[in-house]
Amino acid sequence: MYDNNNIFAKIVRKEIPCDKIHEDDRVLFFKDINPKAKIHVLGIPKANVINFDDFIDKCSPEDVVHFFKSVSKVIDNLDIRESGYRIISNTGENGNQEVPHFHIHILGGQKI
Ligand code: AMP
């Protein structure tokens, strides 16, 4: 079951600040607080979904496409399309997921 008190839920509700990169009514992108690369941005849908599987199961095809198109737009805004980047989504115990709200890591700005 989705935990309404996870840290990203609090960020979506503006109860906790974030270093915002991009936002609209359905998605939010912000800098990771503990960056693993020169550029480390997290992207989340605002829907209450736990992980990738939950996102695909519960959100509409339009929302799924909108999210991944937003990831692509942010990659352009960060100016890392040409130099390259890595996108990751950790899921579950073996994936080492810490925050139980679906998110994509965008890493770049250096060789990963
Ligand atoms: P994951 O292991 O995929 O769940 O990664 C969670 C990520 O969230 C980690 O890279 C953390 O550094 C990051 N993180 C945790 N709290 C915050 C926060 N308040 N603002 C930004 N990033 C955060």
Side-chain angles (χ1 to χ4, degrees):
M1 206 208 288
Y2 182 80
D3 170 13
N4 269 310
N5 284 320
N6 79 75
I7 194 117
F8 293 171
K10 290 179 180 175
I11 287 175
V12 169
R13 294 196 299 265
K14 317 275 187 222
E15 292 167 11
I16 290 179
C18 71
D19 199 344
K20 190 166 70 182
I21 298 281
H22 171 71
E23 180 175 23
D24 65 20
D25 57 329
R26 286 181 276 177
V27 301
L28 175 63
F29 290 77
F30 52 97
K31 291 187 184 170
D32 194 294
I33 207 165
N34 182 21
K36 308 282 191 310
K38 272 187 195 153
I39 293 173
H40 188 171
V41 169
L42 300 172
I44 64 175
K46 290 187 175 177
N48 291 349
V49 285
I50 299 169
N51 57 28
F52 178 71
D53 306 297
D54 203 27
F55 178 52
I56 298 299
D57 279 354
K58 295 202 178 128
C59 288
S60 67
E62 290 74 20
D63 281 352
V64 171
V65 168
H66 178 74
F67 177 73
F68 284 104
K69 281 192 179 288
S70 302
V71 171
S72 181
K73 189 190 288 181
V74 167
I75 285 165
D76 272 339
N77 292 349
L78 293 168
D79 200 22
I80 56 172
R81 186 175 297 288
E82 290 303 315
S83 54
Y85 53 87
R86 183 174 290 175
I87 54 177
I88 300 170
S89 185
N90 301 318
T91 299
E93 201 180 330
N94 282 356
N96 265 334
Q97 182 178 2
E98 286 169 21
V99 180
H101 181 116
F102 171 57
H103 53 281
I104 290 271
H105 296 254
I106 303 170
L107 296 151
Q110 64 177 89
K111 195 119 182 140
I112 309 295

